[in-house]
Amino acid sequence: MSELPRLYADHLARDRRRSVHTVRAYEATATRLCGFLTQHWGEAIDRAALAKADTADLRAFLAQRRGEGLTNASAARELSAVRGFLAFATGEGTTPRLKGPRVKKGVPRPISPDEAVALADDVADDASEPWIGARDLAVLLLLYGAGLRVAEALSLTGAVLPLGATLSVTGKRDKTRIVPLLPQVREAVEAYVALSPYGTARDAPIFRGAKGGPLSPRLVRRAVQGARVRLSLPDRTTPHALRHSFATHLLGRGADLRALQELLGHASLSSTQVYTQVDAAHLLDVYRNAHPRA
C-alpha cells in the first residue's frame, strides 16, 4: 500500500493544523481510495497514478462506499477528503470535478436556560463523590456559560489558573480566542479545583477522571445522557447542545453576529449565521403558540 496516506496525514497535522479526529478520518479515506484504485486498475498507486484518476474513477469509489451504507452527509465528507488527498498528492487544481451528494444543512437545536441549568445540577447531584460532582458541574457550565466545545473545556490546563474575568481558549486548528467568564462559571471551576485530589500542575489537565487521568469526553456524554433520561429532556440534549444554547440565547438577547463569531471561535461567519435561523424559528414557535389568530 502506498505511503501517501500517511504523508497526507502528516501534512494535515503539521501544515493544516487539523484536529486528531480529522487527521485520522482523512487518512482512513485516503487509504481506502488507494486500496480501491489498486484493485480497480490492477497496479501500484503512486503520485503519477493518482494524477490520472478521473471523475469516473471517483464515482466508482463513492458508489462502492455508498453500497457499504454511507449516508449523504458521510459521502460528502468522504468526497471532501478524497479531493484534499488528490490535491496533496498531485498538485492543487488538478483534481477531477465531481459534484457531491446534496446534504440538507441541519439547524442547531438548543435547549432552554432552565433546562441547561437543571441538566448541570442533576449531573452534579448524581456523581459518586463530591469532587466529581463539582467537576461535572464546572465542565457543563463552561459549555453553556462560556460556549466552549467539550474538547476545549477538557484540554484546559493548570496554566489558566488563577481564573480572571476572561479565559484564553485554544480551539480548532490551534486558534486561540478570549472568552469572558461569568462569575457563576468561575466559581464552579474554582470550587472543583479546591476539591480535586489531583492538584493543578501548569502542564496537566484541570479536569481529571476518577483515577487521575484526563477526563474523557465519553464520560461527559454518558453523564449528560443519564441526566437527560432522569429529567425527561429531549434527545437533542447533549453536551454540544449546551454550546448551541449559549449562542442562541446570546443572539436572542441582541448579541452582535461578529462578536458571537469571535466568542464561538468560528473561522467563517457563515458558521455563526446558522443561529439566526434558530432564533427566527423560536420566534415563530412563540407566535404560533401564543397568538390568538395563529
Side-chain angles (χ1 to χ4, degrees), residues 48-98:
L50 289 174
K52 70 178 185 180
D54 58 21
T55 300
D57 296 320
L58 299 192
R59 189 174 287 116
F61 170 69
L62 288 178
Q64 181 188 77
R65 294 289 290 138
R66 292 300 292 266
E68 296 170 358
L70 254 65
T71 63
N72 278 2
S74 296
R77 287 193 295 269
E78 192 89 341
L79 180 58
S80 176
V82 165
R83 286 171 174 155
F85 174 57
L86 290 179
F88 164 78
T90 65
E92 295 290 344
T94 62
T95 58
R97 303 186 69 175
L98 178 62

Side-chain angles (χ1 to χ4, degrees), residues 282-294:
H282 171 69
L283 290 175
L284 285 173
D285 286 341
V286 171
Y287 172 80
R288 293 190 185 104
N289 292 331
H291 198 283
R293 299 283 185 178

